[in-house]
Amino acid sequence: LEANPKQFENFFKNSEISLDNLHVQDMKIMIPQALSDAGDITLKEFSLGLDFNKGVFSMTLNVDDLAGSKKLIPATRRDERQIVALLPEILSISSKNDIGVRQSGSLGDVVFKPISLSVKDMGSFEISADMKDLSDNVFRNDPTLVSLELTLADSGAANAIFSIIAQDEGTTPANARSKAVAQLKMQEGALQGPLLEANKALQAFIENPGGVFKLSIKPEAPMKLQELQ
């Protein structure tokens, strides 16, 4: 594909593939004997739908309560062990994804409505977006933003992140938080409009554990991403 990128583009434009609602419920995933002390992986519910139709692609992917022990996560390096040590003993993950792509030549329109991921006792992430004129290099071709909504909810992840940063820098988690906020404050002079509002909201989110960060950009008319600056 690297040698002939048109190969993928032509496949995408000319193919027709459909998978209508693959559904799995109450599944138990057996793990290798060597990891038997970690217990089984369980899945409450899973569904998948795919549709390729000559340049138009849509996918829905939903995962409800995929749960397993953190012992299943390989951690050999020091930084990996630091991260795993701060995770809950049992990871419970849920995700909802609804994605649409329309390809036209080398450009495409993308709609997320939404993409979300949540990890119990850590936090959640959700993004809804409508963007046009996307290419494989957004820096070369400035895409058009129709709308964007982003939500981050913290229920433990921020404490874990700043604990790791504090260990690496030889300081306390509180000092690591303060440093991150100070760095964001220094950027305020170079920002305006939605980006300045997002910067201030992110500062508040970092300062207050267990908070929620929300960003919503809905211009009256579609605008280029560079215009946000």
Side-chain angles (χ1 to χ4, degrees), residues 4-213:
N4 185 12
K6 290 287 185 182
Q7 181 179 355
F8 177 77
E9 182 180 317
N10 291 334
F11 168 81
F12 187 81
K13 284 174 18 180
N14 300 318
S15 296
E16 293 186 39
I17 302 172
S18 180
L19 172 63
D20 185 18
N21 196 26
L22 171 66
H23 186 256
V24 177
Q25 194 167 10
D26 296 327
M27 184 170 74
K28 182 180 290 185
I29 303 170
M30 308 301 291
I31 61 174
Q33 185 70 29
L35 297 172
S36 59
D37 65 329
D40 296 323
I41 299 174
T42 59
L43 174 62
K44 184 176 180 181
E45 193 166 7
F46 170 88
S47 64
L48 172 65
L50 291 173
D51 188 31
F52 286 91
N53 188 356
K54 296 182 179 179
V56 179
F57 165 70
S58 63
M59 179 183 77
T60 57
L61 171 63
N62 297 313
V63 177
D64 185 10
D65 195 14
L66 175 65
S69 171
K70 71 177 183 181
K71 294 178 182 178
L72 295 169
I73 301 174
T76 55
R77 301 199 316 261
R78 175 176 171 271
D79 56 342
E80 293 172 340
R81 292 194 296 270
Q82 285 179 320
I83 294 172
V84 172
L86 293 166
L87 295 175
E89 289 299 321
I90 300 296
L91 290 172
S92 177
I93 300 170
S94 296
S95 179
K96 292 184 178 182
N97 306 276
D98 190 341
I99 302 170
V101 179
R102 181 182 295 274
Q103 184 79 7
S104 177
S106 61
L107 301 178
D109 301 339
V110 178
V111 177
F112 301 146
K113 50 182 183 180
I115 293 177
S116 70
L117 175 69
S118 65
V119 181
K120 187 177 179 180
D121 297 327
M122 293 298 288
S124 64
F125 163 90
E126 180 173 302
I127 181 170
S128 299
D130 186 347
M131 301 184 71
K132 299 184 182 298
D133 305 327
L134 278 166
S135 72
D136 58 352
N137 189 333
V138 296
F139 300 103
R140 183 177 60 210
N141 182 75
D142 187 24
T144 300
L145 176 67
V146 179
S147 64
L148 172 67
E149 292 186 75
L150 171 67
T151 302
L152 301 175
D154 173 44
S155 56
N159 282 336
I161 291 169
F162 287 109
S163 292
I164 292 170
I165 294 173
Q167 290 177 29
D168 289 340
E169 296 182 351
T171 184
T172 66
N175 285 340
R177 281 181 186 271
S178 297
K179 181 179 178 181
V181 171
Q183 290 172 338
L184 287 170
K185 284 185 179 294
M186 290 174 61
Q187 299 171 12
E188 289 182 359
L191 303 174
Q192 58 182 351
L195 292 184
L196 178 58
E197 293 176 11
N199 179 292
K200 293 182 177 181
L202 187 56
Q203 291 179 42
F205 176 69
I206 291 173
E207 285 180 316
N208 300 287
V212 176
F213 169 77

